[in-house]
Amino acid sequence: MAAEGPVTPIEETLLVALLLTICGGYLDAFTWIAHDRVLANAQTANVVLFGVYAASGQWNDALRHLPPIIAFVVGVLVTLRLRDRFGGQIRSISLVVEIAVLTVALLLHVHLPSIAGTLGISFAAAMQTTSFAKVEGVAFSSVMTTGNLSRFSEALHARTQGDRSRRTARQIVVFGSVAACFGFGAGVGAVATGALGNAGLVIPIALLVSVLAICSFKGSKHIRSRRRVIVANSKAPTNEA
């Protein structure tokens, strides 16, 4: 009888990664359209735009991109402190915080300045990406896609060089899907925000509630799969028949 395959924590499964990534792309499109062309998740873009506007002396535009960067950094620091205290529970905590932030932005947006919603979303995005930092055992990000595209490209290159290992094939599927879902989420976010405005936040809220339900599923703390686990330090040969 074949040995049972490796165990993937349910929080690191591809389904959870895809739902969170769709949410990440959606919220970037949402804040860009509805919150003064500021990106809540993509801090690389905020840093670049801050530098570009500052260099040209457009300080009003430059300073719009600074608060989300600060909120993101604070979110990472808070998450790390909470993780030290609560361990694996930080994932559920971060989801609850993000759902609460988006719900407040949805219900009270008429009473809050636009920057408040952006700061809250940036803070929550930092908690999300810090708490859910792996998919099938390998580092990834659900709120930005550069690293995911890099891993996809590396795996694709290895494949074209003759690597027929299951690990490489799985990386192509996983990181290709994650990168595509980020773009898909951004597209849906752009359409929904244009049509619904702040009411469009019901979509990412629903996605996050779904992830919370999956991660809280008591019947299966782990998902067993021989072929759905990427082993970062795999000792398997790079070529298989």
Side-chain angles (χ1 to χ4, degrees):
M1 181 181 295
E4 194 172 49
V7 177
T8 301
I10 199 165
E11 298 88 353
E12 294 183 14
T13 56
L14 181 57
L15 175 60
V16 168
L18 295 181
L19 291 174
L20 290 175
T21 302
I22 292 172
C23 184
Y26 187 108
L27 290 174
D28 257 347
F30 172 82
T31 54
W32 178 261
I33 294 171
H35 288 208
D36 300 325
R37 297 296 191 265
V38 173
L39 296 168
N41 295 339
Q43 302 311 316
T44 300
N46 285 328
V47 171
V48 169
L49 291 171
F50 174 81
V52 169
Y53 285 127
S56 60
Q58 301 177 62
W59 287 104
N60 286 336
D61 290 324
L63 292 176
R64 286 192 294 108
H65 296 276
L66 187 58
I69 298 171
I70 296 173
F72 192 91
V73 172
V74 172
V76 171
L77 295 175
V78 169
T79 304
L80 292 175
R81 291 293 298 273
L82 291 175
R83 188 172 65 186
D84 290 341
R85 181 172 181 179
F86 296 104
Q89 292 179 323
I90 185 57
R91 297 184 180 94
S92 295
I93 293 172
S94 69
L95 289 171
V96 170
V97 169
E98 191 167 7
I99 291 168
V101 166
L102 296 184
T103 301
V104 169
L106 172 65
L107 299 178
L108 302 179
H109 67 276
V110 295
H111 303 293
L112 296 172
S114 178
I115 189 62
T118 304
L119 291 177
I121 293 173
S122 293
F123 180 88
M127 295 193 71
Q128 176 179 306
T129 194
T130 306
S131 302
F132 293 86
K134 292 183 178 181
V135 55
E136 298 187 1
V138 177
F140 97 113
S141 175
S142 60
V143 301
M144 58 195 78
T145 196
T146 303
N148 300 328
L149 280 173
S150 177
R151 288 191 177 275
F152 169 75
S153 301
E154 290 170 0
L156 191 62
H157 175 264
R159 192 71 170 182
T160 62
Q161 296 302 304
D163 185 344
R164 295 292 183 266
S165 67
R166 290 175 177 171
R167 171 177 175 266
T168 296
R170 186 61 183 170
Q171 282 188 330
I172 292 173
V173 172
V174 168
F175 290 103
S177 300
V178 168
C181 279
F182 192 85
F184 173 75
V188 173
V191 173
T193 304
L196 303 174
N198 272 67
L201 285 174
V202 296
I203 295 176
I205 290 173
L207 290 172
L208 292 170
V209 170
S210 299
V211 173
L212 182 60
I214 292 170
C215 293
S216 301
F217 184 54
K218 297 180 181 179
S220 176
K221 187 176 181 181
H222 296 84
I223 292 179
R224 296 184 180 277
S225 174
R226 185 174 63 179
R227 295 188 179 185
R228 294 189 177 182
V229 177
I230 302 171
V231 182
N233 298 316
S234 174
K235 296 181 180 180
T238 57
N239 292 284
E240 294 183 1

